[in-house]
RNA sequence: GGGCCCAUAGCUUAGGUUGGCUGGAGCACCCGGCUGAUAACCGGGAGGUCACCGGUUCAAAUCCGGUUGGGCCCA
């Protein structure tokens, strides 16, 4: 027989995926997809560039699966994804740190002596290597996007776009250099932006101290609180809030000054001596604990500041200008000299001889000791505090005054909020919640880094102080004092050697030796991925905002933010129109997966053992905006089922289609209820899937598909099986084949976004290898095929079957034993519906007759008993008589009467409903069970006729079992021989043609030969069977 | 210290905006069925104080307040 369909041969998902991946390569599917997109309505996308500095883990795979599912969905809907390229974040501390680690070095000095050119070359190599890892994972997870055309933040083109943006900001006065107190990592030797600092908060123990500062004019000590004792070394001023009340308290014989509202920290023993306003303290001199610098006589005074009482403490604030931004502001306002005795590595300089060379964090305890020696320590202690650490190297950060280039984002708060109001966030509360709140509090963004591997800051200065920000390679070459080196690498150190001629004074300009925060690079991705404005001007200009992005929640303050800041400042447009925020992946111990090393399998392991599609379907069927638990075992359990089910459906379909010569012709008008039902379900599912993807709810889309698979396998195919090979009704057989074909084909399309490999495999098998599922249109629901009432009806039928089986099970009667009747009570509408499906019900429940009734009244007997709790008090001693009488009456009659009249007169006693406890008893001879509102009663009587039929089915079952044991195909004919108990013989005699038909037997004959016979016991009766393949 | 989210069977979870009648599934477990999807398919059973405490209400898994535990974020 010619087989039209290739039947499955034990393929597993990983094998299928390997086959499909190879086919995609051979056929150049990606370029075909690109071809197909041409001319479509654009869908602007931007790949949030992963940092290529570590191997990808399963959490990264999740993000890619989500992106891919949406892209595939939209592509199938005819959208043209632009620019449809991958992207890689190549620069920055993460990469440098990885390289430093491999060198085993730990300082900028080591890098300098190794050579910045060589160091950066190694950084580049590292990026290229990890990028390859990431590409491999991405391809394997099925992320369909152009990798060849990917944007790299380290390419000259990308850098040029970044430079262009910097020049825009510079010319608008939004990028400038100033001294600011910024978070600073002493190990990395560079400042960080505030949102970078926010990435590294950790709980740690800090040393707090209360220190006495003598204020002679009031003959008391001002108490000062600090959690960074080392900053006392640079104390320059004390600050008070001029509008607040202060008091001098007496405590254990000493006089202490604190703000009234903070007096509680002195305890109840403290007695106020005199009170004054903060303003009265302003201008007084005090004796500092350390005096390493004189401040030209302008220091060591009490000054006024409103910052004071905002903070924890005493209401008297110690001011050390270089180490906190509030302090810096106060110092500048008072015009005092800057005294910063800490070097770039976070160590004290010779200005503090006792501490020279010690790092500030380590020096705190020593400072406390020194204060104590001077008799100025009031109290100290340790407390838990979450404080910032370097997000990459885990060194505690300090705050430090530095020259830094920053982007003035604070001025654009309102505009950023306005633009954000129109952005669609999923989950919605991110818009006004986390993200919105962050925008309200937007700080200026310190973007310069004193490092090596990054986009160089394109600002050159001449000795006369002129400044130029270069915005393109053309401009660089035009201003350059000498021809540019070729090939040109824009990175350090080559770029540092480029000198410009000052356009204003002709002087030689040299570059500011900073590189950029790598978050600035990625924030430019929406336009820099196009090499805008040097290429693709029109493409970018027509869209401006990206239509859709999705990344994990930790990007709220990272990439989501930087994009939004830059897009607002540069284009006055939101960076993206809709964003799906993803939760983290959790391992089996609820820890966030941060690398493959920590407990969770690598993507490679997962894909090769359970398959990428299984992992994808599992992940996409979860609430992806929340933390998602992931373990390989769960994937296997939860999803293998779905794939094997579809695989089996295809196996079933293909073998039957092959056997009956069906080759995919379209269905004619569908008349069979089951066909109409499953097609209705199919179209409903199409609607649900579309709605899910359109609402950015992958989970509901994927879930709808899974439910459909259940219905298709669990009800449609199960109920329709015989129709697939019925000889007598070829039209109906054709309808079944055609319907299943349509369901499977559409299913392959519906699965394509979530399970790109398996769906394509299925599609190709169904259509004989022509084309690919990813070049097809996404299905559109045919409303005319949807019949909601039919779907409701079928659900009712399934409930009735469920209840019927429960009833049989309860009575312990095998399904293969035919029974007489089932009475189904399902209410008026239910009974009306179920009557239509009597044939189906009788087959499912294996009963001869189905009777659908509206009420179950006829099927139950009411048993009444006295409610002694009410009867007792009412009738006292005659209660016993009432009870006896109740025991004698017909319960059914009594209940009927009670329910209509409400009371009953019984032998001179008046009884109402509460006096009677009614219980139900099944009519004898029936087994009962219910599901929902459907009650099913199955008659239990088995007469001779039913018994014989049951025995015949026992014989059939055993023959089938033996056929299977011998590995026969269903079209193979057999000859059956038997010897058995007379009852069984009688059953065989009555049902011989039926048995032959069911078992594909040419003959069923009594035989004495025991050769190859198998012995069975049926209902304690012996049965010997031989099954032989019939000769041709 | 502050904000947001979460807590439902052994595990993964639906439902919660609109309070209401027996809180649904799947996996695992036990029992059974089916036998032209068979290293498949189907059914049944057991398993839940819906984290804890309190409030509103005739009625709370659902609304409100608090506690505990977890996640994320801010400073």
């Amino acid at each position: 027989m010619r087989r039209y369909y290739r039947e499955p041969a034990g393929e597993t998902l990983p094998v299928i995926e390997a086959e499909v991946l190879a086919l995609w390569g051979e056929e150049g599917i990606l370029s075909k997809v690109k071809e197909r997109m041409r001319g479509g309505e654009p869908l602007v996308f931007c790949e949030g560039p992963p940092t290529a500095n570590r191997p990808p883990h399963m959490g990264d795979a999740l993000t890619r699966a989500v992106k891919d599912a949406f892209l595939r969905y939209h592509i199938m809907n005819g959208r043209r994804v632009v620019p449809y390229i991958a992207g890689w974040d190549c620069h920055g501390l993460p990469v440098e740190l990885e390289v430093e680690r491999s060198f085993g070095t730990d300082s900028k000095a080591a890098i300098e002596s190794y050579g910045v050119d060589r160091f950066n070359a190694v950084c580049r190599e590292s990026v290229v290597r990890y990028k390859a890892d990431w590409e491999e994972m991405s391809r394997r997870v099925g992320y369909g996007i152009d990798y060849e055309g990917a944007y790299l933040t380290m390419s000259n083109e990308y850098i040029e776009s970044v430079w262009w943006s910097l020049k825009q900001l510079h010319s608008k006065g939004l990028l400038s250099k100033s001294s600011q107190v910024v978070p600073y990592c002493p190990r990395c030797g560079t400042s960080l932006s505030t949102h970078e600092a926010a990435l590294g908060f950790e709980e740690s123990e800090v040393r707090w101290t209360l220190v006495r500062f003598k204020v002679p004019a009031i003959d008391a000590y001002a108490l000062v609180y600090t959690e960074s004792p080392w900053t006392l070394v640079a104390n320059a001023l004390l600050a008070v809030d001029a509008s607040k009340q202060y008091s001098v308290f007496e405590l254990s014989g000493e006089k202490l000054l604190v703000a009234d509202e903070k007096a509680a920290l002195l305890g109840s023993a403290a007695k106020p001596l005199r009170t004054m306003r903060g303003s009265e303290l302003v201008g007084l001199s005090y004796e500092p604990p350390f005096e390493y610098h004189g401040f030209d006589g302008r220091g060591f005074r009490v000054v006024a500041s409103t910052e004071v009482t905002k903070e924890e403490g005493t209401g008297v604030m110690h001011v050390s200008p270089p180490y906190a931004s509030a302090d810096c502001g106060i110092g500048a306002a008072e015009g005092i000299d800057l005294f910063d005795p800490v070097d770039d590595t976070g160590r004290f300089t010779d200005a503090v001889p006792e501490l020279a060379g010690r790092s500030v964090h380590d020096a705190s305890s020593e400072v406390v000791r020194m204060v104590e020696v001077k008799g100025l320590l009031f109290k100290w202690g340790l407390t838990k505090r979450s404080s910032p650490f370097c997000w990459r190297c885990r060194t505690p950060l300090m705050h430090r005054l530095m020259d830094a280039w920053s982007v003035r984002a604070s001025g654009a708060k309102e505009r950023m909020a306005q633009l954000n109001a129109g952005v669609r966030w999923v989950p919605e509360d991110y818009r006004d919640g986390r993200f919105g709140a962050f925008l309200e509090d937007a700080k200026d963004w310190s973007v310069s880094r004193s490092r090596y591997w990054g986009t160089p800051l394109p600002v050159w200065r001449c000795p006369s102080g002129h400044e130029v920000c270069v915005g393109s390679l053309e401009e660089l070459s035009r201003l350059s004092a000498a021809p540019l080196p070729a090939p040109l690498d824009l990175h350090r150190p080559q770029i540092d050697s480029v000198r410009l001629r000052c356009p204003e004074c002709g002087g030689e300009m040299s570059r500011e030796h900073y590189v950029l925060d790598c978050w600035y690079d990625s924030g430019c991705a929406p336009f820099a991925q196009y090499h805008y404005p040097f290429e693709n001007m029109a493409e970018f200009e027509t869209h401006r905002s990206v239509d859709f992005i999705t990344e994990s929640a930790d990007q709220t303050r990272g990439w989501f933010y930087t994009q939004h800041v830059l897009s607002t400042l540069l284009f006055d447009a939101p960076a993206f129109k809709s964003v799906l925020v993803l939760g983290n992946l959790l391992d089996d111990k609820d820890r966030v997966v941060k690398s493959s090393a920590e407990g969770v399998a690598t993507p490679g392991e997962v894909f090769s053992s359970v398959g990428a599609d299984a992992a994808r379907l599992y992940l996409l069927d979860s609430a992806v905006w929340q933390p998602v638990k992931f373990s390989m075992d769960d994937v296997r359990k939860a999803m293998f089922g779905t794939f094997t089910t579809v695989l089996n459906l295809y196996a079933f379909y293909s073998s039957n289609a092959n056997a009956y010569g069906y080759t995919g012709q379209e269905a004619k008008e569908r008349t069979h209820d089951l066909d109409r039902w499953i097609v209705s379900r199919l179209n409903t599912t199409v609607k649900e899937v579309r709605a899910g993807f359109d609402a950015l709810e992958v989970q509901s889309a994927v879930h709808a598909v899974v439910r459909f698979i259940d219905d298709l396998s669990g009800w449609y195919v199960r109920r329709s099986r015989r129709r697939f090979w019925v000889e007598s009704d070829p039209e109906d057989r054709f309808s079944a084949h055609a319907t299943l074909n349509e369901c499977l084909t559409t299913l392959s399309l519906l699965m394509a976004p979530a399970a790109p490999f398996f769906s394509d495999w299925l599609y190709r098998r169904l259509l004989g290898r022509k084309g690919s599922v990813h070049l097809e249109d996404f299905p559109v629901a045919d409303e005319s095929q949807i019949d909601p009432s039919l779907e409701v009806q079928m659900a009712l039928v399934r409930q009735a079957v469920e209840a019927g089986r429960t009833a049989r099970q309860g009575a312990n009667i095998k399904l293969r034993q035919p029974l007489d009747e089932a009475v189904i009570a399902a209410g008026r509408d239910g009974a009306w519906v179920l009557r239509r499906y009597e044939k189906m019900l009788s087959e499912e429940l294996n009963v001869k007759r189905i009777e659908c009734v509206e009420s179950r009244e006829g099927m139950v007997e009411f048993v009444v008993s006295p409610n002694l709790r009410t009867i007792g008090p009412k009738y006292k001693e005659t209660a016993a008589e009432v009870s006896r009488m109740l025991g004698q009456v017909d319960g059914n009659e009594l209940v009927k009467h009670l329910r209509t009249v409400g009371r009953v007169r019984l032998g001179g006693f008046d009884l109402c409903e509460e006096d009677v406890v009614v219980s139900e008893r099944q009519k004898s001879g029936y087994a009962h069970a219910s599901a929902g509102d459907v009650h099913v009663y199955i008659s239990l009587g088995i007469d001779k006729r039913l018994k014989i039929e049951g025995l015949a089915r026992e014989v059939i079952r055993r023959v089938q079992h033996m056929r299977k044991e011998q590995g026969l195909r269903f079209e193979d004919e057999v000859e059956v021989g038997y010897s058995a108990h007379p009852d069984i013989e009688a059953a065989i005699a009555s049902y011989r043609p039926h048995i032959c038909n069911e078992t594909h037997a040419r003959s069923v004959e009594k035989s004495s030969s025991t050769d190859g016979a198998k012995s069975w016991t049926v209902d304690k009766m012996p049965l010997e069977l031989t099954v032989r393949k019939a000769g041709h």
Side-chain angles (χ1 to χ4, degrees):
Chain A
M1 190 196 322
R2 205 185 88 72
R3 294 183 183 276
Y4 183 78
Y5 292 104
R6 226 175 110 202
E7 296 177 25
E11 287 94 336
T12 62
L13 200 48
V15 170
I16 285 171
E17 289 174 356
E19 180 187 325
V20 171
L21 207 49
L23 282 173
W24 287 353
E26 281 165 30
E27 297 171 5
I29 287 295
L30 187 76
S31 47
K32 286 185 179 162
V33 167
K34 284 205 266 190
E35 188 109 335
R36 188 190 125 85
M37 294 197 303
R38 197 169 293 166
E41 193 199 332
L43 177 94
V44 185
F45 178 70
C46 184
E47 160 82 332
T51 309
N53 78 307
R54 59 164 174 79
H57 56 67
M58 250 345 264
D60 303 316
L62 164 67
T63 313
R64 302 183 102 57
V66 175
K67 289 177 184 178
D68 183 62
F70 280 104
L71 292 191
R72 288 190 190 275
Y73 170 71
H74 288 300
I75 290 170
M76 289 177 80
N77 275 307
R79 301 291 293 271
R80 176 170 62 96
V81 176
V82 282
Y84 199 52
I85 53 173
W88 308 102
D89 198 357
C90 310
H91 284 149
L93 268 181
V95 180
E96 290 193 28
L97 197 80
E98 172 76 16
V99 171
E100 280 189 76
R101 225 179 258 142
S102 69
F103 284 5
T105 60
D106 195 28
S107 73
K108 286 168 75 173
I111 296 171
E112 302 269 357
S113 70
Y114 180 75
V116 173
D117 52 343
R118 286 166 68 201
F119 180 77
N120 274 358
V122 179
C123 285
R124 184 186 292 271
E125 279 165 26
S126 164
V127 165
V128 169
R129 192 174 61 243
Y130 283 120
K131 171 174 157 283
D133 285 356
W134 275 77
E135 280 177 357
E136 193 201 329
M137 181 280 278
S138 303
R139 286 201 167 92
R140 183 61 187 86
V141 80
Y143 186 26
I145 200 160
D146 186 351
Y147 297 96
E148 309 301 322
Y151 69 88
L152 300 173
T153 61
M154 66 182 178
S155 70
N156 281 2
E157 290 75 25
Y158 196 95
I159 290 174
E160 188 177 27
S161 289
V162 174
W163 279 11
W164 169 84
S165 74
L166 289 162
K167 189 179 177 69
Q168 303 305 303
L169 297 179
H170 188 258
S171 64
K172 291 180 193 169
L174 296 169
L175 173 71
S176 58
K177 188 180 190 179
S178 60
S179 284
Q180 297 165 22
V181 174
V182 288
Y184 181 85
C185 174
R187 193 217 69 88
C188 299
T190 184
S191 59
L192 302 173
S193 66
T194 45
H195 61 267
E196 273 180 308
L199 292 171
F201 270 81
E202 268 178 31
E203 184 95 333
S204 70
E205 204 156 59
V206 300
R207 184 185 306 266
W208 59 266
T209 52
L210 281 167
V211 178
R212 300 184 185 95
F213 283 61
K214 187 170 189 184
V215 187
I218 57 168
D219 184 28
Y221 287 94
L223 266 194
V224 167
Y225 176 88
T226 178
E227 290 181 359
S228 324
W230 64 267
T231 59
L232 292 168
V233 168
N235 172 266
L237 298 165
L238 289 181
V240 296
D241 187 331
S243 64
K244 293 278 162 62
Q245 289 279 346
Y246 286 78
S247 294
V248 174
F249 292 86
E250 175 157 9
L251 181 64
S252 317
E254 60 177 331
K255 294 171 188 160
L256 301 168
L257 175 78
V258 300
D260 283 9
E261 64 190 59
K262 307 285 189 179
L265 64 88
L266 293 178
S268 53
K271 300 209 168 34
L273 292 179
R274 54 183 193 281
T275 296
M276 60 208 78
R277 292 209 75 78
S279 53
E280 296 175 50
L281 296 164
V282 173
L284 302 180
S285 296
Y286 67 89
E287 295 174 8
F290 302 103
E291 206 169 340
Y292 293 107
H293 192 273
F295 300 107
D296 282 340
R298 298 183 56 80
F300 310 135
R301 287 175 299 124
V302 178
V303 300
S305 165
T306 49
E307 300 287 330
V308 175
T309 36
K310 284 182 192 165
E311 310 210 348
E312 202 158 349
T314 61
V316 183
M317 187 172 96
H318 129 73
V319 180
S320 52
Y323 307 122
S325 60
D327 300 32
C328 185
I330 295 169
E334 298 295 329
I336 64 158
D337 288 353
L338 201 66
F339 171 55
D340 181 1
V342 178
D343 70 11
D344 288 350
T345 62
R347 293 183 174 84
F348 281 106
T349 61
D350 294 340
V352 186
E354 294 94 324
L355 298 169
R358 296 187 59 172
S359 92
V360 295
H361 289 287
D362 297 342
S364 272
S365 57
E366 179 62 15
V367 172
V368 174
R369 205 189 54 79
M370 289 160 70
V371 170
E372 191 173 18
V373 165
K374 290 170 193 264
L376 298 175
L377 182 66
F378 179 74
K379 224 179 199 177
W380 71 275
L382 295 172
T383 183
K384 293 262 181 211
R385 194 46 47 103
S386 98
S387 48
F389 288 74
C390 180
W391 64 298
R392 281 300 168 182
C393 71
R394 295 279 151 223
T395 304
L397 297 182
M398 58 186 286
H399 283 83
R400 183 163 189 248
L401 187 66
M402 296 195 70
D403 278 345
W405 287 84
S406 58
V407 170
R408 215 153 298 297
S410 54
K413 279 181 204 176
E414 274 182 32
R415 190 59 187 148
M416 288 199 287
Q418 283 167 4
L419 292 172
N420 178 46
V423 175
R424 179 176 172 208
W425 287 82
V426 177
E428 210 181 340
D429 42 281
Y430 272 81
R431 190 189 62 209
D432 300 325
R434 285 194 194 174
F435 195 70
F438 196 67
L439 292 181
E440 277 172 27
D441 205 27
K443 306 256 189 334
D444 287 339
W445 174 10
S446 163
V447 294
S448 58
R449 300 287 178 271
S450 315
R451 297 292 307 187
Y452 309 99
W453 178 239
T455 299
L457 184 74
V459 176
W460 274 258
R461 289 181 144 178
C462 71
S464 329
H466 299 125
E467 184 175 299
V468 65
C469 181
V470 172
S472 69
L473 296 184
E474 183 278 323
E475 188 179 0
L476 182 70
S477 135
R478 182 155 43 79
L479 295 178
S480 178
L484 294 175
L488 181 64
D489 174 18
L490 294 179
H491 290 93
R492 298 185 72 186
Q494 197 185 59
I495 195 68
D496 297 332
S497 63
V498 174
R499 301 293 151 104
L500 305 189
R501 183 163 300 115
C502 179
E504 286 181 56
C505 66
E508 192 185 67
M509 307 183 97
S510 49
R511 198 183 73 83
E512 290 276 284
H513 277 212
Y514 296 101
V515 295
L516 285 178
D517 178 4
C518 59
W519 292 96
Y520 189 97
D521 287 352
S522 55
C524 292
F527 57 91
Q529 65 173 345
Y530 295 98
H531 191 205
Y532 176 88
F534 307 99
E535 284 178 69
N536 302 307
M537 274 286 266
E539 189 79 290
F540 179 73
E541 292 288 344
T542 44
H543 316 310
R544 279 279 154 106
S545 302
V546 171
D547 283 312
F548 168 68
I549 58 173
T550 177
E551 299 293 335
S552 62
D554 45 18
Q555 296 299 338
T556 312
R557 314 308 165 109
W559 193 55
F560 296 156
Y561 178 69
T562 57
Q563 281 184 93
H564 194 67
V565 170
L566 291 178
S567 186
T568 303
L569 295 180
L570 292 168
F571 306 112
D572 192 36
F576 41 86
K577 292 178 187 158
S578 64
V579 49
L580 172 59
V581 184
L582 303 178
N584 287 316
L585 207 64
L586 302 180
D587 67 12
D588 53 356
K589 294 188 183 73
D590 278 355
R591 294 172 309 195
V592 174
V593 176
K594 291 194 173 126
S595 76
S596 291
E598 292 165 26
V600 157
T602 64
E605 285 163 357
V606 172
F607 300 157
S608 62
S609 66
V610 294
D613 275 353
R616 288 175 63 124
L617 211 56
Y618 173 80
L619 293 170
L620 296 173
D621 195 18
S622 323
V624 290
W625 56 92
Q626 283 178 9
V628 176
K629 276 211 184 185
F630 184 87
S631 82
M632 218 159 35
D633 235 24
D634 286 346
V635 177
R636 209 187 312 265
K637 282 177 194 157
M639 294 328 297
F640 241 120
T642 303
F643 288 103
T644 26
T645 302
V646 180
L647 204 58
N648 277 311
L649 283 169
Y650 175 73
F652 175 83
Y653 168 79
S654 57
S655 61
N656 282 296
N658 283 338
Y660 290 92
Y662 174 76
T663 52
Q665 296 83 351
E666 269 194 40
K668 301 172 192 117
E669 203 193 346
R670 291 194 169 84
T671 53
H672 200 288
D673 278 341
L674 278 165
D675 292 348
R676 293 199 306 114
W677 172 74
I678 196 64
V679 169
S680 174
R681 283 285 301 117
L682 179 66
N683 283 284
T684 302
T685 303
V686 170
K687 266 169 70 175
E688 290 168 348
V689 172
R690 298 194 82 104
F693 278 119
D694 290 339
L696 299 186
E697 289 167 9
V698 240
Q699 186 194 25
S700 64
V702 170
H703 212 68
V705 175
V706 172
R707 272 202 313 274
F708 176 74
I709 293 169
D710 278 353
D711 281 346
L712 184 62
S713 162
W715 190 250
Y716 178 74
V717 169
R718 182 155 73 87
R719 278 310 313 150
S720 306
R721 271 155 78 178
R722 281 163 190 267
R723 298 174 56 213
F724 283 84
W725 56 79
V726 66
E727 301 281 353
S728 57
D729 191 349
E731 293 230 344
D732 189 54
R733 191 178 68 218
F734 173 83
S735 180
H737 284 228
T739 301
L740 183 54
N741 176 51
E742 180 177 338
C743 287
L744 287 174
T745 307
T746 306
L747 181 62
S748 73
L749 297 167
L750 290 176
M751 289 178 84
F757 298 105
F758 180 78
S759 60
D760 208 16
W761 179 89
L762 178 61
Y763 179 86
R764 287 160 189 260
R765 290 286 173 113
L766 286 165
L767 295 197
R769 259 205 184 209
K770 289 187 287 273
S772 158
V773 76
H774 303 295
L775 301 172
E776 289 299 320
D777 291 342
F778 201 78
V780 179
D782 179 350
E783 293 283 346
S784 71
Q785 306 276 7
I786 296 179
D787 184 344
S789 76
L790 181 61
E791 293 189 30
V792 171
Q793 289 174 20
M794 201 58 84
L796 194 67
V797 173
R798 294 177 74 172
Q799 270 189 332
V801 169
E802 228 172 80
R805 299 216 168 174
T806 311
R808 288 191 70 120
Q809 185 119 2
N812 203 11
I813 299 179
K814 289 174 186 167
L815 196 53
R816 74 180 92 95
Q817 173 60 58
L819 292 172
D820 243 337
E821 77 164 347
V823 179
I824 303 176
R828 177 179 303 202
D829 297 343
W832 184 82
V833 166
L834 291 177
R835 274 184 201 118
R836 195 191 155 104
Y837 297 95
E838 281 178 0
K839 182 160 175 277
M840 194 181 285
L841 289 163
S842 71
E843 281 174 19
E844 278 291 314
L845 298 178
N846 196 16
V847 294
K848 297 291 167 204
R849 198 167 59 248
I850 296 281
E851 192 184 340
C852 300
V853 296
E854 293 176 10
S855 149
R856 61 210 185 89
E857 233 159 73
M859 295 310 296
V860 289
E861 290 169 352
F862 292 110
V863 179
V864 294
S865 56
N867 183 2
L868 291 170
R869 215 165 263 167
T870 61
I871 289 175
K874 239 187 260 181
Y875 297 104
K876 314 272 183 203
E877 60 274 15
T878 53
E881 194 180 337
V882 177
S883 302
R884 201 174 54 247
M885 291 174 70
L886 267 176
Q888 289 166 355
V889 297
D890 178 338
N892 284 346
E893 287 292 313
L894 184 83
V895 170
K896 208 176 199 177
H897 193 85
L898 267 177
R899 293 214 169 141
T900 48
V901 183
R903 51 179 54 252
V904 69
R905 193 163 176 83
L906 193 63
F909 300 105
D910 271 321
L911 297 178
C912 55
E913 282 192 63
E914 65 166 5
D915 297 327
V916 181
V917 177
V918 179
S919 55
E920 289 178 11
R921 190 167 63 200
Q922 251 44 256
K923 211 164 157 181
S924 59
Y926 286 87
H928 164 257
S930 66
D933 292 330
V934 183
H935 290 257
V936 177
Y937 303 83
I938 292 191
S939 67
L940 297 174
I942 301 172
D943 60 19
K944 181 112 198 216
R945 174 181 54 93
L946 293 173
K947 180 79 200 166
I948 285 177
E949 189 179 341
L951 287 175
R953 289 191 63 163
E954 295 282 2
V955 173
I956 292 169
R957 193 203 134 196
R958 281 160 175 82
V959 174
Q960 300 288 30
H961 187 91
M962 291 170 73
R963 285 184 60 112
K964 191 54 64 183
E965 274 184 344
Q966 293 175 33
L968 300 180
R969 288 185 61 94
F970 66 77
E971 61 263 28
D972 295 332
E973 291 188 319
V974 292
E975 282 165 354
V976 176
Y978 67 89
S979 82
H981 186 279
D983 285 4
I984 298 178
E985 280 186 13
I988 293 172
S990 321
Y991 283 92
R992 180 165 281 118
H994 179 64
I995 295 172
C996 286
N997 191 37
E998 285 293 303
T999 61
H1000 242 243
R1002 239 181 238 179
S1003 62
V1004 181
E1005 297 304 336
K1006 189 162 180 175
S1007 132
S1008 51
S1009 153
T1010 54
D1011 196 24
K1014 195 169 165 109
S1015 300
W1016 301 88
T1017 307
V1018 179
D1019 276 359
K1020 293 177 186 154
M1021 298 179 281
L1023 167 66
E1024 301 234 319
L1025 284 173
T1026 56
V1027 173
R1028 262 186 216 96
K1029 187 170 174 180
H1032 292 283

